[in-house]
Amino acid sequence: VENQPSGSIVRILTDFNQALSASPGLLTTIQASLENVERLVPADMLEINLWDPDSRYLIPYRFGTGTGADRQLERSFGRPVAGYSAKILSSRKALFIPDTEKYGEIFLDAKNEQVSVRSYIGLPLLTGTDMVGTLELGAVNADAYAPEDLEVLELISGQVAIAIRNASMLEVEKRRSGELGGLASLAQVAVTPRDPQEIVGRLIQNI
């Protein structure tokens, strides 16, 4: 960010807001968020982790290894909260580490995917007091990030959290509407005199 003209940053932030407004679905919202974050702060590791309060796991979303139009958003299996993510969730504050090898507060397990990261920034995604997840990025080189990068990410983290929460709620409502619609169809089948074979066919369609 420190090498980008202020006008360029403002343009990216404007594009970011427009992209979130135009992306009502959960996956498209996460994808738009990641795409615009990396325009602001390039990263070798970039992911949004959604908090699942039922399992108490984080569900990671990141881009695959493809490039350009072939690059796809990938969802990994939920993982226990550990390492840098655990500190972010417990403190509910951003974590900025210029050089992870000189950071002695947290020691990562060798299996942790972030062990190869030398520079790290992580932020909680909060809507009020509700935890939505985390935004985490890193670089393989030490001192890749400046405090200004953290400041820009803090500006947008609230917008990302709200957009993801709204998209999640919309998907829940759509799913409920679909379930209620199916139940209504079943009820209609039950009260309307029909040929038995037709009733069985309608029931199968709505299961």
Side-chain angles (χ1 to χ4, degrees), residues 12-13 15-23 25-41 46-50 61-63 71 73 125 132 134-137 153 156-165 167:
I12 292 173
L13 291 174
D15 293 343
F16 184 74
N17 288 330
Q18 293 175 345
L20 290 182
S21 300
S23 305
L26 179 59
L27 293 181
T28 53
T29 296
I30 293 174
Q31 179 166 334
S33 299
L34 291 174
E35 288 174 346
N36 284 279
V37 165
E38 66 182 355
R39 289 177 64 193
L40 289 165
V41 184
L46 173 61
E47 61 186 20
I48 285 176
N49 303 296
L50 298 191
Y61 291 82
R62 63 175 72 91
F63 287 122
R71 189 172 64 164
L73 182 67
L125 298 176
V132 175
T134 64
L135 169 63
E136 303 181 49
L137 59 161
L153 292 173
I156 65 171
S157 62
Q159 295 169 286
V160 171
I162 292 171
I164 290 175
R165 182 202 60 184

Side-chain angles (χ1 to χ4, degrees), residues 55-118:
S55 66
R56 303 191 68 80
Y57 276 18
L58 285 171
I59 303 173
Y61 291 82
R62 63 175 72 91
F63 287 122
T65 56
T67 58
D70 295 328
R71 189 172 64 164
Q72 300 293 321
L73 182 67
E74 296 180 352
R75 167 181 166 161
S76 301
F77 291 109
R79 67 188 185 202
V81 178
Y84 303 139
S85 302
K87 185 172 181 62
I88 294 170
L89 288 181
S90 62
S91 68
R92 292 176 167 252
K93 294 180 180 179
L95 181 60
F96 175 61
I97 308 176
D99 188 347
T100 57
E101 290 190 0
K102 297 178 181 178
Y103 185 74
E105 290 189 33
I106 298 173
F107 296 94
L108 299 181
D109 184 275
K111 296 180 181 180
N112 193 303
E113 297 176 352
Q114 297 175 343
V115 73
S116 62
V117 166
R118 286 289 304 275

